[in-house]
Amino acid sequence: IQVKGPKGTLNQTLTALAEKAQVLVISPSATSPDITDAGEFIFRTAPSDAFAGEVAARYAYGTLDKRNAAVLSENTDYAQALREVFTGRFQALGGKIVLDETFNTGATDFTSQIIKIKAAQPDVIYLVPQTAAPGVQLVKQLEAQEIDTQLLTAEVLVGRDVVGENGKLMEGLIGIEAYFNKDGPRAKALMDAYQQEYKKEAPYPFFMANVHGQFFLIKEGIEKVGLDTAALRDWLTTVEDWEGTMGKLTLDENGDPVLEAYSILQVTDGRLKDVEIFSTKK
C-alpha cells in the first residue's frame, strides 16, 4: 500500500486511525521500517526495507568486494528508507559513501548527479528509484556518459517487464528482491495461470504471490476464529510456517514476516537471471 503525500504523514495517519478503531490492516507490499511499530492491528507479509537495504550493503561490500559506493535515490519514503539503511550498513562494514544524492519525483535530467559521480569515482552505484521510469532514465544517462560502474538496485528496476523492454541497456545490473519459492504448488499454479492469460511472466512475482496468499491467510483465520478483529489479530500473531502462495510464512511479534533470504538477480544477455539466494542472517 503506497499513499502519496508529505513524507510519512498520510501513511502514519492511516495506520494510527486503523489502530485506534481496531481495524485489521494487512499489507502485501508496505515495506517502510515504520510499519514495524505501527500497532497491534497492523500486519504485513512484505519485509521491511531494513532487510533489503542491509542485504544490498552486505552484498556490495562482502560479495562484490566494493569499498566506495555512490547512492542515487528518489526523494520518497520508500527510496529514502532503503538509502538510509544501505548507507549506514555499508559504512559500518568499512565501506565509504563517496556520493549520496537524491532527486525529486518527476526529474528526467540527471546531468548534475552524473557529473558528481564521475568526480567521486565510486566502484558501485546503488540506484533507488520509486518507480522504474526514472531508474531507466538514470541507466540510459549513465551509459551515455560512458560510466560502466557496477549498478546495484532494489526490486523496482528488476520488474520482468522492465528488464524485458530494456535488457540490452541494463546489461550487468544487479537487483535484490525478497526470495520466495516460485516452485511451490500455489505459487507455480498462480504464475502459470498469469503466463497463460497474459503471455508473459508476472512482472513482480513476489508481491503478486503476497496479494494472492493473503486471501487464503485471512480466509483460514476467519474460519478458525470468526470475524472479530481482536480475535483475528491474536490468531495472526500465532502464524508460523503457514504454507501460502509465497511459501512458508511466519509472522513475528510486530506483525512482520520472518524472511530468511533474498534473491540476487542480474541482467545477463538481456535477460534477468538468478545469481544466488542470499541469507538475511549475519
Side-chain angles (χ1 to χ4, degrees), residues 1 27 29 38 84 86 106 127 160 174 176 189 192-193 200 227 230 235 252 259 282:
I1 298 173
S27 172
S29 60
E84 182 177 351
F86 175 87
L127 299 179
R160 282 42 174 182
I174 296 173
I176 296 172
D192 287 350
K200 62 180 181 180
L227 291 169
W235 178 80
D252 68 14
L259 194 72
K282 300 178 183 179

Side-chain angles (χ1 to χ4, degrees), residues 131-141 143 151 156-173 204 266-272:
T131 59
V136 171
Q137 282 300 315
L138 267 166
V139 175
K140 283 181 179 177
Q141 292 175 38
E143 183 183 69
L151 301 181
V156 166
L157 266 183
V158 289
R160 282 42 174 182
D161 52 346
V162 180
V163 176
E165 295 169 6
N166 303 279
K168 185 177 180 181
L169 169 71
M170 297 169 68
E171 186 71 19
L173 176 143
Y204 297 100
Q266 186 166 32
V267 182
T268 306
D269 297 327
R271 299 186 63 186
L272 193 64

Side-chain angles (χ1 to χ4, degrees), residues 202-215:
Y204 297 100
F206 174 80
F207 291 107
M208 183 174 172
N210 264 349
V211 174
H212 187 265
Q214 281 190 6
F215 285 102

Side-chain angles (χ1 to χ4, degrees), residues 1 4 7 55 76 105 112 121 161 168 176 200 216 244 255:
I1 298 173
K4 295 184 178 180
K7 186 176 180 180
V55 168
T76 63
T105 300
S112 64
Q121 297 184 325
D161 52 346
K168 185 177 180 181
I176 296 172
K200 62 180 181 180
F216 292 94

Side-chain angles (χ1 to χ4, degrees), residues 35-44 237 251-257:
I35 298 295
T36 295
D37 298 317
E40 295 182 356
F41 287 84
I42 313 301
F43 295 82
R44 58 176 163 187
T237 62
L251 296 173
D252 68 14
E253 65 276 11
N254 297 310
D256 283 352

Side-chain angles (χ1 to χ4, degrees), residues 181-192 212 243-245 247:
N181 182 12
K182 292 178 285 188
D183 295 321
R186 283 184 175 174
K188 190 174 187 309
L190 177 64
M191 299 308 161
D192 287 350
H212 187 265
E243 191 67 47
T245 315

